[in-house]
Amino acid sequence: MSLARWLIRWTAVAVVLLLFLGAAGLRPAQAQHPAEPYAAKVEAASEQAATAIKRIRTPAGLELRLFAAEPLLANPAAFCSDDQGRFYVAETFRLHDGVTDIRGHMDWLDDDLACRTVEDRVALYKKYLKDKFETYAVHHDRVRLIEDRDGDGTADTAHVFAEGFHHAADGIGAGVAARDGKVWYTCIPDLWRLQDTDGDGQADERKSLSHGYGVHVGYLGHDLHGLRFGPDGKLYFSIGDRGLNVVTQEGRRLFSPDTGAVLRCNPDGSKLEIFASGLRNPQELAFDEYGNLFTGDNNSDGGDKARWVYLVEGGDSGWRIGYQFLDKRGPWNSERMWEPQWDGQAAYFLPPIANVANGPSGLSYDPGAGLPERYRGHFFLCDFRGASANSGIYSFSVKPKGATFELTDLHEFIWSTCATDVDFGPDGSLYFSDWVEGWGKPGKGRLYKLVDPVREHDKTAAEIKRLLGEGFAARNTDELLGLLAHADQRIRQRAQFALAARGAGAAPQLTRLAVEGEHQLARVHAIWALGQLAEQFPNQSAAVLAPLLPLLNDADAEIRAQAARQFGDHRLAAAFDVLVEHLQDDSPRVRFFAALGLGKLGRRDAIGPVLAMLRDNADRDPYLRHAGVMALSWINDLPAMEAAVETATPAERMGAVLAMRRLKSPQIARYLHDAEPKIVAEAALAICDAPIEAAMPQLAALIERPNQSVAALRRIINANFRLGSSEQADALARFAARSDVPEEMRVEALQCLENWAHPSGRDRTTGLWRPLEPRDAAVAADALRPVLGGVFVGGEAVRQAATQATAKLGIKEVGPELAALVADGEQPPQV
């Protein structure tokens, strides 16, 4: 084939591909600039902002000032500032105009829950919207750049930094972070990196770092957001329960379509992974000074409460999108999954620390300077409720409680403002964005800043602003090492990253500081920097980290914990014995990271020591249990684990069950016959909910066993329903006629029989899309007839369910058992 013909052929293929992508509402990973600027609806300047500021309540002694207002910004979903004090605002104009809410289209619900990819969602739009589909690609979301160029403390210029996010698949742009001349922007279905390379204030380079977020239509606001740099140099971000199906740059598929998650990757998008899951809508993230990650997760408006969550690797917070559409939220409410730890709570998920706020949105952590001492170590959490009178920003701190934390000093910090995001500027002031009003698009927006007049012009504030503005790349190593002890968390992190960027040559001085230093936080940052070096140079990671082994005997428990974390994260084989030893450390936090580390090392001879830690914990601390479970599942040697738990304590067996759930092992069925009811229930939950299909028959067979928990019975009934043979129908009918089981479960069994012929595609326990084939209604009717008398005996709910089931199944006769009841004077139901 000639070169000319080859070019013509492949040009045609490319054209067809681009046309296909456009027709599908998608686009190539490299987004194009819009042909014409988007004409956004933004309100004109007015005195409203000056009036509104007077109604906002703030702490005594602090001053609230207006930094920017419309028309400089509108509809601010999120914002950030760079180290030079420029503000990047994620503005949305697609809310209700290209991004919708499933509550307004409940006829779409089954199709939406069935979606597994972004492409499925776009196909759903085309199916239902028809000619209106084109309207979903009209309005843009964008990033606005706002500056105070004259330095008087008030913004004076604003322009569009990046726009063109208007395809049918696009969501609300709800996350933005800026560093070193780059801007990261989250807008379903992509994580974007934007860059202004020619200095004109507009992004001329934009690259999708990963694609595939937002599988479902779901709820408004359950977006891609929460961008935050972690202590490991990675970029962390969150997705609501609209879910994800992403192929990473390395070709791995991350598939979590039915729940929210926190992810992390390198700044260039490589090594993307799911860090934690089971969340509903974790809008923002914040790290404390020790690298602990937290979020506020929204409630479901079903009687549950929002949650303050400590996020750890592999953590599952329990939420699945299907709960949203179950009666009374299903197990989420009935099994009290959203509550902080309580005796009897399911063990497979991590409970929240506390119930805080109603609509958690923006989140930030005190960097260590700028506000009064009262707020050292405090978080600031926006609570957006749609009306300024009952919205604002909470402040609180946490203190250690075992391997997790408990909440302290919760109070209203700033109130009577529709705050969507909050962060600290390089000048030390606390900034927050104000949506202004309601749930629509007001076409308005404000940025306020809260200032401590006492500290506003002190030396520390000036130094922080200068250091951040100047940058860190040109500073010498000794200065950077000294800055690791700075009072401001941002300065410490920037210095750490700069040291890590210098390569392995910086390792000796970092090691000396980590081992011999006197300032705790400087030592912590030195350890983190060495971890970054181990990540950058994996072939040298052992040489970089081995000199830190003595830190596991340090007098400071935090130093021991941080060292254990690095040894595990970077698979330091030489640390195995000392990590085993520290499974018995006095500090639960050290034990937590030692267990995770041993799991990552993957040696089967760690199974016994990990089980011993679980035995000692005795299920008291769910985070220690989680660490042990992660270790067992990462080691993934089921024969060795089963042999070890043959005569083990309930806590060890619980660990084995939870590990098997994560591995989806059918061998979990053996624990359906455990002597401990909690373990039986946990195995039942795993088989039904995970699900583990191969173990479903063994679960269904438990329906005759007495004294089962409601949680276990719900799954046993569902297993019989899903298996769907005449044997299971008979078992459900007999169960429905029993008087020694909870009436709510009798009702559940009757409803299964009522819907036998045409089961919903939504799972009865989780609400997730797990369709079944239609079955013969006669099977359910034949199962019910012999026990009609029994199923009609009970409370009103049981009798009503029996009436509905018999009517739906066309049962006209009164069986002999029911006739006997009538002969004894009982009033027969109308069947």
Side-chain angles (χ1 to χ4, degrees):
M1 181 186 296
S2 69
L3 177 61
R5 291 178 63 191
W6 185 90
L7 288 171
I8 291 170
R9 172 174 294 184
W10 285 104
T11 299
V13 170
V15 168
V16 170
L17 177 61
L18 288 171
L19 288 172
F20 169 78
L21 289 169
L26 305 176
R27 59 196 171 306
Q30 194 73 24
Q32 302 301 312
H33 293 265
E36 296 180 3
Y38 172 62
K41 182 181 178 182
V42 178
E43 296 293 324
S46 72
E47 296 300 317
Q48 293 180 12
T51 302
I53 197 172
K54 299 174 183 177
R55 298 194 299 266
I56 300 175
R57 305 199 315 267
T58 60
L62 302 182
E63 293 182 8
L64 186 63
R65 302 172 188 170
L66 180 66
F67 180 71
E70 64 276 1
L72 295 183
L73 73 159
N75 312 331
F79 75 92
C80 73
S81 67
D82 64 15
D83 288 347
Q84 287 69 45
R86 296 173 295 211
F87 286 77
Y88 297 84
V89 180
E91 297 181 313
T92 180
F93 299 93
R94 289 180 55 74
L95 177 68
H96 300 303
D97 284 312
V99 181
T100 191
D101 191 305
I102 196 64
R103 285 169 288 189
H105 309 277
M106 290 304 284
D107 56 321
W108 300 4
L109 181 58
D110 279 357
D111 280 350
D112 186 35
L113 291 173
C115 288
R116 301 289 89 182
T117 66
V118 172
E119 292 77 12
D120 289 343
R121 173 167 59 86
V122 173
L124 178 154
Y125 290 154
K126 299 179 80 171
K127 171 183 175 180
Y128 286 100
L129 293 170
K130 297 182 171 46
D131 292 344
K132 293 182 179 180
F133 174 73
E134 293 181 359
T135 67
Y136 272 44
V138 173
H139 295 278
H140 294 223
D141 273 15
R142 67 189 191 186
V143 179
R144 184 87 74 104
L145 175 57
I146 300 176
E147 299 180 72
D148 169 20
R149 290 185 175 176
D150 62 11
D152 67 352
T154 303
D156 45 49
T157 63
H159 62 269
V160 174
F161 180 73
E163 60 181 4
F165 306 95
H166 67 100
H167 298 81
D170 288 354
I172 293 174
V176 62
R179 181 167 295 188
D180 298 331
K182 299 180 180 66
V183 175
W184 289 263
Y185 177 55
T186 55
C187 183
I188 281 175
D190 295 272
L191 167 63
W192 295 98
R193 189 180 66 199
L194 313 172
Q195 192 166 4
D196 170 19
T197 63
D198 57 12
D200 66 352
Q202 294 182 312
D204 50 83
E205 287 188 3
R206 53 181 73 190
K207 180 180 180 181
S208 173
L209 301 182
S210 52
H211 171 88
Y213 306 98
V215 167
H216 300 293
V217 177
Y219 275 23
L220 278 170
H222 292 215
D223 302 310
L224 192 62
H225 32 40
L227 290 162
R228 189 76 65 179
F229 280 94
D232 50 6
K234 293 182 179 291
L235 187 64
Y236 288 70
F237 57 101
S238 58
I239 177 72
D241 60 6
R242 296 179 66 186
L244 63 101
N245 185 346
V246 175
V247 176
T248 70
Q249 294 179 10
E250 296 78 23
R252 293 179 297 106
R253 183 173 296 278
L254 302 181
F255 186 68
S256 182
D258 296 320
T259 190
V262 172
L263 301 100
R264 66 180 175 188
C265 62
N266 288 332
D268 64 359
S270 63
K271 295 188 176 179
L272 177 69
E273 60 183 334
I274 296 173
F275 180 75
S277 63
L279 299 154
R280 183 174 180 271
N281 190 22
Q283 292 212 0
E284 290 287 343
L285 306 172
F287 287 93
D288 70 6
E289 65 266 44
Y290 296 114
N292 301 304
L293 181 59
F294 298 87
T295 192
D297 199 13
N298 281 256
N299 62 10
S300 72
D301 299 316
D304 56 332
K305 296 181 180 179
R307 300 166 309 289
W308 181 243
V309 180
Y310 171 37
L311 298 162
V312 296
E313 188 170 4
D316 180 351
S317 292
W319 175 262
R320 305 293 184 265
I321 193 174
Y323 291 147
Q324 188 71 55
F325 308 104
L326 290 174
D327 182 45
K328 300 178 182 178
R329 304 294 188 263
W332 184 250
N333 273 345
S334 65
E335 296 170 17
R336 298 165 55 192
M337 294 173 65
W338 50 268
E339 295 184 24
Q341 184 185 5
W342 56 276
D343 188 34
Q345 195 172 39
Y348 74 89
F349 63 88
L350 288 170
I353 293 172
N355 297 126
V356 178
N358 285 275
S361 51
L363 174 64
S364 193
Y365 185 72
D366 172 55
L371 293 180
E373 288 297 323
R374 156 81 187 278
Y375 295 103
R376 292 295 84 81
H378 274 60
F379 294 89
F380 302 90
L381 176 67
C382 297
D383 189 13
F384 184 88
R385 307 185 196 180
S388 60
N390 58 0
S391 298
I393 301 174
Y394 284 108
S395 181
F396 52 85
S397 61
V398 297
K399 64 179 182 181
K401 181 182 180 182
T404 179
F405 299 88
E406 61 182 331
L407 204 71
T408 63
D409 195 27
L410 173 66
H411 61 281
E412 293 179 357
F413 179 69
I414 298 173
W415 215 252
S416 298
T417 174
C418 290
T420 59
D421 200 4
V422 59
D423 211 346
F424 286 83
D427 61 353
S429 301
L430 181 146
Y431 290 77
F432 64 93
S433 52
D434 184 358
W435 187 263
V436 182
E437 59 191 42
W439 293 97
K441 295 192 298 292
K444 307 173 185 178
R446 285 92 193 241
L447 279 177
Y448 293 103
K449 65 176 180 179
L450 188 69
V451 176
D452 180 0
V454 175
R455 291 169 172 76
E456 183 178 13
H457 301 294
D458 67 13
K459 292 181 179 180
T460 301
E463 180 190 46
I464 292 170
K465 186 175 182 179
R466 176 183 62 80
L467 289 170
L468 290 173
E470 292 174 352
F472 296 81
R475 301 184 188 279
N476 65 54
T477 298
D478 288 340
E479 182 182 6
L480 291 173
L481 289 166
L483 290 174
L484 295 183
H486 197 278
D488 191 277
Q489 182 182 28
R490 297 167 297 180
I491 302 297
R492 297 194 303 270
Q493 188 182 80
R494 304 296 198 277
Q496 172 199 321
F497 288 2
L499 285 163
R502 303 206 165 168
Q509 289 163 286
L510 286 166
T511 301
R512 189 176 307 111
L513 176 59
V515 175
E516 301 174 4
E518 298 180 356
H519 190 282
Q520 185 199 50
L521 288 176
R523 300 178 70 194
V524 168
H525 280 276
I527 293 169
W528 290 342
L530 289 164
Q532 288 182 268
L533 291 175
E535 174 85 7
Q536 293 172 39
F537 307 102
N539 293 334
Q540 302 177 43
S541 62
V544 168
L545 294 177
L548 299 183
L549 282 169
L551 293 183
L552 279 178
N553 294 315
D554 198 271
D556 187 335
E558 185 61 37
I559 297 299
R560 299 198 301 274
Q562 297 293 346
R565 185 173 192 171
Q566 296 303 321
F567 298 152
D569 285 351
H570 302 289
R571 278 74 172 173
L572 182 65
F576 179 84
D577 290 337
V578 71
L579 287 174
V580 168
E581 177 185 342
H582 284 279
L583 288 175
Q584 303 299 318
D585 196 278
D586 291 340
S587 164
R589 183 166 167 81
V590 176
R591 297 200 295 273
F592 176 86
F593 287 116
L596 290 181
L598 287 167
K600 291 181 178 183
L601 288 175
R603 284 174 50 173
R604 65 180 297 179
D605 45 345
I607 291 175
V610 168
L611 289 171
M613 185 203 73
L614 290 171
R615 179 183 65 239
D616 294 342
N617 182 52
D619 285 325
R620 288 185 294 268
D621 187 325
Y623 277 76
L624 277 180
R625 179 175 60 206
H626 169 76
V629 169
M630 292 306 299
L632 295 173
S633 60
W634 281 333
I635 293 169
N636 193 11
D637 190 331
L638 289 178
M641 183 176 70
E642 287 192 318
V645 299
E646 192 67 39
T647 59
T649 63
E652 292 168 89
R653 301 200 303 277
M654 180 66 82
V657 167
L658 297 176
M660 288 181 177
R661 176 186 178 120
R662 286 181 172 272
L663 297 170
K664 291 195 173 184
S665 169
Q667 293 168 255
I668 197 172
R670 65 177 287 191
Y671 293 97
L672 293 172
H673 305 283
D674 197 274
E676 175 58 54
K678 289 182 179 180
I679 293 176
V680 174
E682 205 67 44
L685 267 63
I687 293 167
C688 179
D689 298 1
I692 305 173
E693 299 288 353
M696 206 72 77
Q698 295 97 313
L699 176 60
L702 296 187
I703 197 165
E704 305 289 350
R705 183 188 291 182
N707 302 319
Q708 300 270 30
S709 70
V710 169
L713 285 172
R714 181 177 287 112
R715 275 69 177 192
I716 293 166
I717 291 168
N718 195 19
N720 280 276
F721 177 68
R722 294 191 65 81
L723 290 172
S725 73
S726 59
E727 178 185 355
Q728 276 95 39
D730 291 342
L732 287 171
R734 291 193 301 271
F735 182 88
R738 287 169 59 180
S739 60
D740 63 333
V741 294
E743 290 203 344
E744 63 180 300
M745 291 296 99
R746 295 178 63 192
V747 169
E748 178 67 15
L750 285 164
Q751 290 176 347
C752 286
L753 292 167
E754 176 187 347
N755 294 286
W756 189 266
H758 300 287
S760 168
R762 297 177 235 164
D763 183 81
R764 294 190 65 84
T765 302
T766 63
L768 300 179
W769 190 253
R770 293 175 184 162
L772 297 168
E773 293 296 325
R775 284 95 64 105
D776 187 355
V779 172
D782 291 345
L784 264 179
R785 285 190 177 94
V787 294
L788 283 175
V791 298
F792 279 104
V793 176
E796 176 62 28
V798 171
R799 295 195 299 273
Q800 183 178 358
T803 300
Q804 292 174 348
T806 51
K808 179 76 171 289
L809 294 170
I811 300 174
K812 304 297 184 182
E813 71 275 23
V814 175
E817 293 182 13
L818 183 56
L821 286 174
V822 174
D824 290 338
E826 297 283 345
Q827 181 66 34
Q830 299 298 314
V831 296

